[in-house]
Amino acid sequence: MTKSVDLNADMGESYGRWSLGDDAALLGIVSSANIACGFHAGDPDVMARTMRMAVAGDVGIGAHPGFADLHGFGRYRINLPGETLQNAIRYQIGAALAMARCAGGRVRHVKLHGALANMASEDAALARLCYSAALEVDPDLIIMVLAATAQEDAVRELSCAYAAEIFADRAYEDNATLVDRSKPGAVIHDAERAAARMVEMVQAGAIIAESGKRIPTRIDTICLHGDTPEAVDIARAVRAALESAGIAVARF
């Protein structure tokens, strides 16, 4: 059984005068933060503020690049030429590296956001394009992947450092991909249910799909979405349940 696991959250997703999520509260609970790079959400001020808080709280910083889709919050699928997509990744990673350095920290990992992540979980060639672009900017980055999907196939082919991720607040299909948000039950809002299923999955070393199917996998980190209204409650419940089960929460 895994004796420790990382707990991460997507954040830095406010924009201008529009506020989304309680990043300050989440940063007091999680061990890693995936911070928006301005394409799907966030802006330079939000990125700087979130990274400063992460550094102050000794929370690991990750870049969270996505499609240039503020209107759809990065959740619309967009088909881009490979070079254009890679340049978008490089651009966002570069911004994150610069802002983290100015905040007194560094970017440890990179995690794709939203529709781009879902597409990469189905297409190893697309995932390789994204990850190779990120690693060109900084070869020491740890790639955070959706466990047991094509994303994991891609990082193994690239022979790079990676962390395998499962989700506390999302339901799973039998192929280890996430249930589409348009379907009922795709997003889990009940904090106690989220916590119990995370303990069960970590102890089992497997993703448990909605059908009950178990998909054996390495589990390095657990994610919750900062934009979910119940995010802070879910984070607290998951951490408490893990620790009660003898599973420490620590950066991967």
Side-chain angles (χ1 to χ4, degrees):
M1 185 184 78
T2 301
K3 297 299 183 184
S4 70
V5 68
D6 179 65
L7 183 60
N8 77 78
D10 302 341
M11 61 180 70
E13 295 174 326
S14 298
Y15 186 81
R17 296 179 64 184
W18 179 63
S19 181
L20 180 66
D22 190 345
D23 293 347
L26 284 173
L27 285 165
I29 304 167
V30 301
S31 46
S32 293
N34 318 306
I35 298 173
C37 301
F39 270 35
H40 78 274
D43 60 37
D45 290 335
V46 170
M47 186 183 291
R49 182 169 65 250
T50 309
M51 288 188 173
R52 285 195 300 268
M53 289 192 295
V55 170
D58 195 29
V59 173
I61 294 174
H64 198 32
F67 286 129
D69 173 29
L70 287 173
H71 180 78
F73 198 63
R75 289 178 177 157
Y76 291 137
R77 293 192 174 217
I78 302 172
N79 293 311
L80 297 173
E83 184 177 2
T84 300
L85 176 58
Q86 287 192 305
N87 283 333
I89 297 293
R90 294 176 185 122
Y91 186 97
Q92 292 175 81
I93 298 295
L97 292 176
M99 298 301 281
R101 182 175 179 179
C102 291
R106 67 183 182 90
V107 174
R108 298 181 67 246
H109 70 275
V110 61
K111 172 187 169 181
L112 301 179
H113 169 79
L116 179 57
N118 291 334
M119 291 165 69
S121 73
E122 302 160 4
D123 184 344
L126 178 65
R128 282 196 306 273
L129 276 177
C130 296
Y131 299 150
S132 61
L135 293 167
E136 285 171 358
V137 179
D138 182 353
D140 294 327
L141 286 170
I142 300 167
I143 307 298
M144 192 180 286
V145 301
L146 273 68
T149 70
Q151 290 187 14
E152 190 166 350
D153 296 336
V155 289
R156 287 178 174 171
E157 290 172 17
L158 290 168
S159 298
C160 62
Y162 76 94
E165 174 188 56
I166 63 171
F167 284 81
D169 55 6
R170 293 296 306 279
Y172 279 94
E173 299 285 7
D174 282 358
N175 63 355
T177 61
L178 301 176
V179 174
D180 190 276
R181 284 177 176 270
S182 65
K183 297 180 180 179
V187 179
I188 294 166
H189 298 282
D190 184 274
E192 295 308 316
R193 181 187 170 208
R197 67 197 290 272
M198 287 301 95
V199 171
E200 184 179 11
M201 288 190 199
V202 171
Q203 289 178 332
I207 289 168
I208 302 174
E210 287 300 279
S211 67
K213 178 180 178 180
R214 295 192 170 208
I215 306 159
T217 183
R218 162 180 158 181
I219 299 172
D220 300 306
T221 186
I222 294 170
C223 176
L224 57 99
H225 292 85
D227 65 299
T228 304
E230 303 84 4
V232 175
D233 290 339
I234 291 173
R236 287 195 181 112
V238 169
R239 179 157 192 154
L242 289 168
E243 292 175 341
S244 292
I247 303 165
V249 173
R251 278 189 279 181
F252 52 80

